[in-house]
């Protein structure tokens, strides 16, 4: 221990005498660690973090599977009750309805909030320790009680410690507060962000579209279960397999082919797990490349320093120092440098994780995608820093501690002996160039993808459109009252100054998904596969407001709710169902209803920007609010020539004038909505742009360092050349040629590796091929230009060497 402390103090004194080296290493390693810590914060948040429940290892999420289908489904209510009552492997089985919209009144403006409806034993099975009060009691399955989320309690109720027992208004109904959930608990889903919980027995009054509880064919509740003490997951899986066989025999019409899947509660959904892990894995490889480039860069710096310390090491060995002691001292220095870089990188990662919160996901439901640097990230950054210190410090320390005594005492550089064409520093620079080539190509692909995404024709105009959502249904409105409210709202908003047109829809395009059904032509062939069609509700003026061209037929015209249902098809749907025939007047059937096509509209991007053109059916809003109420509410679209903020304030006043308890929410312009729709290409472009720039800078600096060091070691040689008549241009070409040879040696394997890596990026690119010719042409030229600049500066300095001074430099 005394020896280690002595080495520690000696290393600190040495590093304090080399501030330039310390800054260079801390910045290089700090960038690499920051990139890795930022990406690992995603891994920690979405893969490693356990749910905030008691004993998370024994809490399982239950899913239903079906032969031949993708995993997984929720439970029908009868299947949930059967498993709850019959499974002996579990001490408790609970269920919950994943998202429940509501309007919260009280003091201030009404607010749209989302929550969950859960069985009375939900908090007991999950073992949630409340911040205040309690969870649901056994007899409260149908009582008007509520558990508030911690953030909602703080924001809406001012963290009132006496709120337990008080009543609050939720969608026009009175609920008694029995508890406040602990901080950080927002249900058992990784990204959903519910803010309250009410008993599941009362859910039909808040969600009229909830299926009949007696049906075994409707999958609508999520289920969790707590393993009994001493029961393993395999035993529980075997019991559920037997129960599935029993249900298939008892209810063959609905249960044949069904099974159960057990998973850790609060983990990634099985359906999306492979995609998320692939994305995080790709990002992890990229940031490890950045760190590897940084380590190669620092290793080159330490190799140069080791060359200058050859005489020191030879003297110390001659005086009796052990090689192990010298090696330990130098590894101590590299580790301290790496830990300094790790500390700087961690601080940078704290900023980076908060900056990623600025990316808004285009989802109409509340999501919690927040990232933070937790203890796992800190431990990872520490381990990475120590590992990097040993990685980039071992070879320089090994070489420096083993000098050739005779040559070292005379001041010779053991790493640059006469006649040696390839040095270790050259190999490291070549590796840096190769890794940077991979980063630059991948970065170019994602930046080109972002460019392509921003230029995609979405099929409608985004400028000058304001969107405001309302949901009369959750305030107890019937279908007729909802239509009258929306009509009155449209009329009053249309009368505002500057407003050009107004329409109402159930969901804005590019919201990530909407209702879809299979549709067939009435009277057409029955053996033809029904295409899956995206469905939107729209009022009169919808196409005018969004600027979607109407090609044929008419617009909606306040159709009767009881009359024959009408719809407007887009070109893709008309072509798929009718070919070259005129679709106007044709009748199609799907989703339990028949529609007459009264109009033909242009194509739009429906779900995502990168999708192929999808068939879309626009249905009359007035005719469908009763038979198919929108779960997400209804969105008022206002095209205005006036100021957006003034129009927004006016629309809010009109909403509250019509109903003071009505919440106006999801207020945004269509341009903001389109920016949100660019979430994935913007996120990928930003991350890879930052990481690619880091790699380029580090590789360029590394090449510059090697060339500068080479010039400094060859000062005497260059002076002799100039003294013997060498031209300035010839000296410059000599230095530049050496650096560009290293660059070309790195470009070749780098391009090959980038070509392979591009194949894994294909599923994340928009409107382009993975092996984009422009990207693979520009990236090498860009890197070669940066390398040329890094070589030209030392070459220029070499050409200005004074022969008289050069001959005396050693």
């Amino acid at each position: 221990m005394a020896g280690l402390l002595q080495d520690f103090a000696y290393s600190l004194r040495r590093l304090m005498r080399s501030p330039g080296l310390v800054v260079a290493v801390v910045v290089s390693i700090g960038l690499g660690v920051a990139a890795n810590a930022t990406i690992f914060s995603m891994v920690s948040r979405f893969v490693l973090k356990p749910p905030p429940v008691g004993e998370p290892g024994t809490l399982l999420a239950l899913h239903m599977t079906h032969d031949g289908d993708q995993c997984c489904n929720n439970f029908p209510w009868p299947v949930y009750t059967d498993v709850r009552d019959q499974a002996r492997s579990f001490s408790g089985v609970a269920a919950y309805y994943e998202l429940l919209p509501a309007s919260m009144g009280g003091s201030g403006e009404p607010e749209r909030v989302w929550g969950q409806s859960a069985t009375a034993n939900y908090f007991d099975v999950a073992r949630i320790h409340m911040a205040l009060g309690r969870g649901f009691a056994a007899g409260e399955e149908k009582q008007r009680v509520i558990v508030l989320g911690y953030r909602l309690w703080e924001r809406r109720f001012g963290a009132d410690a006496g709120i337990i027992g008080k009543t609050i208004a939720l969608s026009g109904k009175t609920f008694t507060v029995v508890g406040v959930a602990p901080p950080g608990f927002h249900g058992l889903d990784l990204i959903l962000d519910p803010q309250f919980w009410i008993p599941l027995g009362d859910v039909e009054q808040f969600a009229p579209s909830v299926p009949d509880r007696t049906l075994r064919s409707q999958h609508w509740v999520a289920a969790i279960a707590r393993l009994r003490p001493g029961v393993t997951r395999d035993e529980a899986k075997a019991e559920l397999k037997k129960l599935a066989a029993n249900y298939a025999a008892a209810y063959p019409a609905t249960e044949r082919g069904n099974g159960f899947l057990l998973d850790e509660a609060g983990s990634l959904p099985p359906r999306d797990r492979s995609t998320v892990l692939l994305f995080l894995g790709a990002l992890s490889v990229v940031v490890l490349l950045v760190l590897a480039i940084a380590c190669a860069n620092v290793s080159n710096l330490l190799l140069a320093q080791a060359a200058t310390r050859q005489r020191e090491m030879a003297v110390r060995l001659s005086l009796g120092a052990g090689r192990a002691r010298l090696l330990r001292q130098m590894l101590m220095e590299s580790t301290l440098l790496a830990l300094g870089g790790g500390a700087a990188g961690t601080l940078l990662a704290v900023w980076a994780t908060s900056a990623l919160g600025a990316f808004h996901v285009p989802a109409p439901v509340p999501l919690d995608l927040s990232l933070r640097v937790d203890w796992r990230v800190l431990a990872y950054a520490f381990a990475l820093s120590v590992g990097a210190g040993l990685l980039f410090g071992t070879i320089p320390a090994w070489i420096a501690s083993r000098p050739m005594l005779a040559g070292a005492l005379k001041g010779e550089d053991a790493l640059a002996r006469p006649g040696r064409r390839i040095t270790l520093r050259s190999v490291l620079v070549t590796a840096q160039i190769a890794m940077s080539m991979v980063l630059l190509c991948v970065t170019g692909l994602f930046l080109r993808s972002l460019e392509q995404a921003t230029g995609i024709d979405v099929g409608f105009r985004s400028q000058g459109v304001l969107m405001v959502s309302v949901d009369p249904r959750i305030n107890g409105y019937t279908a007729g009252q909802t239509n009258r409210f929306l009509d009155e709202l449209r009329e009053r908003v249309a009368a505002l100054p500057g407003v050009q047109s107004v329409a109402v829809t159930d969901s804005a395009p590019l919201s990530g998904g909407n209702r879809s059904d299979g549709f067939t032509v009435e009277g057409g062939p029955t053996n033809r596969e029904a295409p899956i069609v995206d469905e939107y509700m729209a009022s009169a003026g919808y196409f005018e407001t969004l600027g979607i061209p109407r090609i044929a037929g008419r617009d909606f015209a306040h159709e009767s709710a009881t009359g024959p249902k009408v719809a407007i098809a887009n070109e893709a749907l008309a072509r798929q169902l009718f070919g070259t025939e005129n679709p106007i007047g044709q009748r199609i059937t799907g989703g339990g209803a028949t529609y007459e096509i009264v109009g033909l509209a242009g194509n739009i991007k429906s779900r995502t920007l990168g999708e192929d053109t999808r068939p879309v059916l626009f249905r009359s809003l007035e005719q469908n609010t009763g038979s198919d109420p929108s779960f997400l509410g209804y969105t008022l679209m206002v095209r205005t020539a006036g100021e957006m903020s003034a129009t927004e304030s006016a629309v809010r006043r009109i909403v509250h004038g019509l109903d003071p308890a009505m919440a106006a929410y999801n207020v945004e312009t269509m341009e903001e909505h389109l920016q949100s729709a660019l979430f994935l290409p913007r996120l990928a472009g930003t991350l890879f742009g930052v990481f690619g720039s880091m790699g380029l800078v580090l590789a360029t600096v590394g090449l510059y360092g090697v060339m500068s060091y080479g010039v400094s070691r060859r000062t005497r040689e260059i002076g002799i050349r100039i003294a013997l008549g060498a031209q300035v241009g010839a000296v410059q070409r000599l230095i530049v040629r050496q650096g560009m040879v290293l660059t070309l040696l790195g470009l070749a394997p780098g391009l090959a590796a980038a070509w392979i890596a591009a194949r894994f990026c294909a599923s994340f690119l928009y409107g382009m091929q993975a092996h984009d010719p422009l990207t693979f042409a520009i990236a090498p030229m860009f890197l070669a230009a940066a390398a040329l600049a890094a070589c030209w500066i030392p070459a220029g300095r070499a050409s200005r060497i004074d022969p008289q001074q050069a001959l005396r430099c050693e």
Side-chain angles (χ1 to χ4, degrees), residues 465-486:
V465 177
L466 175 70
M467 299 190 295
V468 181
S469 296
V470 293
D471 194 353
R473 176 183 59 89
I474 63 173
N475 282 37
Y477 283 56
T478 63
Q481 291 171 331
T482 297
N483 283 335
R484 287 192 292 274
F485 178 89
L486 296 176

Side-chain angles (χ1 to χ4, degrees), residues 438 441 749-760 770-773 776:
V438 177
C441 286
L751 267 176
W755 189 268
I756 296 172
R759 297 171 55 190
F760 297 96
H771 297 133
D772 178 48
F776 280 86

Side-chain angles (χ1 to χ4, degrees), residues 409-439:
L409 289 172
K410 292 187 293 183
E412 294 179 357
D413 184 355
L415 303 178
R417 297 191 188 93
R420 175 179 290 187
R421 294 181 175 272
I422 300 176
T423 66
L424 182 57
R425 290 194 297 276
S426 300
V427 172
L428 289 174
V429 167
T430 302
Q432 283 182 283
I433 296 294
M435 291 184 286
S436 295
M437 188 71 261
V438 177
L439 275 180

Side-chain angles (χ1 to χ4, degrees), residues 702-712 734-740 742 790-791 794-795 797:
L703 181 59
Y704 171 79
V706 166
M707 300 312 299
S708 294
Y709 181 79
V711 168
S712 68
L734 175 69
I735 303 301
V736 170
R737 182 171 61 248
Q738 181 183 356
M740 294 310 293
L742 295 178
C791 298
R797 189 169 64 249

